[in-house]
Amino acid sequence: MSEFILQREQDGVVVLTLNVPQLRNAISLEMREALLGHLREAGNNPDIRAVVLTGARGNFCSGGQLQPTNGAVAPDAQRTKRNIAILQDIVRLLSGGPKPTIAAVEGYAYGAGMSLATACDVLVAGESARFCASFGKIGLMADAGMLWSLPQRVGPGRAREMMLTGRIVEATEAGALGLANRVVPAGSALATALEVAAGFAGVAPLAIAAMKRVMARGPNSLEDVLHAESDAQPVLALSQDYVEGRTAFKEKRAPMFRGA
């Protein structure tokens, strides 16, 4: 569908590769639209038994691609809402869609990239993987369902600490905490993810789809979290802290947040 997402099929498994390596596969609006289209297509294809999501050239995804700004001008609110809505539809398909999903993570999985990885049913991390819920460092709340998906993986206490501090979690710790289902040698995450995907061939697709639908509803509803994101994130995206956070990120300096 686009050069932003590379697709290949192998023995009933579709591999979707985030492909903007010069930006560590930061996910732009255009990439989101393309990824959503590929996931919908895979979900409707009876010949596809599993979906593997990975990133090009040694990184999974460094987060959302920051919108360009002129000085202190805030990003366009409508574009922000569309960015959120598309990403939420992606998370709905990864977490609650009919096909089992496996994230093959090498290198950076920051911000929305970490959200996409934790939304998948199985997360395979190469030893090079680095996870960071970095939202607060640019003045935003965790989104793309992370407030729902991360506690399910590591428990509410650990998830709270990761999201509120925005600290980096290396692959070994990710495996120990349950953030990653498997930790494998660097460079082998995709091969292992394909092995995991092949294992779903022996499970009834309708049974998988039914279980995923139920698991996506509770105990804390994914929809409740996504609605909360839709209410709060556009407001945060218009804040001066978000402007400062993006500016500091681009200038490679510590941000000076004011709570406004």
Side-chain angles (χ1 to χ4, degrees):
M1 293 182 182
S2 88
E3 70 278 11
F4 296 113
I5 304 293
L6 303 181
Q7 174 175 319
R8 68 181 174 93
E9 294 182 24
Q10 176 179 322
D11 300 325
V13 178
V14 62
V15 179
L16 301 178
T17 303
L18 308 177
N19 186 44
V20 190
Q22 67 274 22
L23 297 176
R24 296 193 181 99
N25 305 314
I27 186 164
S28 64
L29 175 58
E30 293 75 18
M31 182 189 281
R32 295 169 203 225
E33 291 173 334
L35 178 57
L36 179 59
H38 282 288
L39 288 172
R40 284 173 171 165
E41 185 179 87
N44 291 326
N45 186 343
D47 295 327
I48 298 299
R49 300 299 301 274
V51 176
V52 173
L53 182 63
T54 192
R57 299 189 192 177
N59 286 295
F60 184 71
C61 175
S62 60
Q65 186 173 322
L66 298 179
Q67 299 178 33
T69 60
N70 298 314
V73 177
D76 179 77
Q78 290 304 313
R79 184 179 177 90
T80 298
K81 288 182 179 180
R82 179 159 178 75
N83 264 316
I84 294 169
I86 295 172
L87 200 55
Q88 290 183 345
D89 283 343
I90 290 169
V91 169
R92 289 183 177 102
L93 288 175
L94 292 174
S95 293
K99 310 294 181 178
T101 55
I102 305 99
V105 180
E106 303 278 359
Y108 280 67
Y110 279 28
M114 182 174 172
S115 295
L116 293 179
T118 57
C120 291
D121 299 310
V122 179
L123 197 166
V124 179
E127 291 176 340
S128 67
R130 293 159 59 91
F131 301 89
C132 183
S134 53
F135 303 92
K137 293 185 176 180
I138 59 167
L140 295 177
M141 67 181 289
D143 65 12
M146 186 185 288
L147 288 161
W148 176 84
S149 61
L150 187 57
Q152 294 206 39
R153 287 187 168 273
V154 303
R158 288 174 176 149
R160 182 182 293 257
E161 183 256 349
M162 286 183 199
M163 289 186 283
L164 295 182
T165 64
R167 70 178 180 86
I168 295 169
V169 178
E170 304 284 351
T172 300
E173 183 184 4
L177 295 177
L179 171 56
N181 297 88
R182 301 191 189 185
V183 177
V184 297
S188 64
L190 179 56
T192 303
L194 289 170
E195 293 174 3
V196 173
F200 289 109
V203 184
L206 291 179
I208 288 175
M211 286 186 282
K212 289 193 63 173
R213 282 197 304 272
V214 172
M215 287 188 289
R217 289 203 297 263
N220 296 312
S221 167
L222 172 60
E223 286 302 319
D224 288 344
V225 169
L226 296 180
H227 287 312
E229 292 175 6
S230 294
D231 290 339
Q233 197 74 301
V235 176
L236 293 172
L238 295 174
S239 70
Q240 288 302 307
D241 276 355
Y242 182 45
V243 173
E244 166 63 9
R246 289 178 301 127
T247 302
F249 177 83
K250 292 178 180 179
E251 295 177 353
K252 302 185 185 303
R253 62 171 174 81
M256 298 289 290
F257 292 132
R258 300 180 181 177

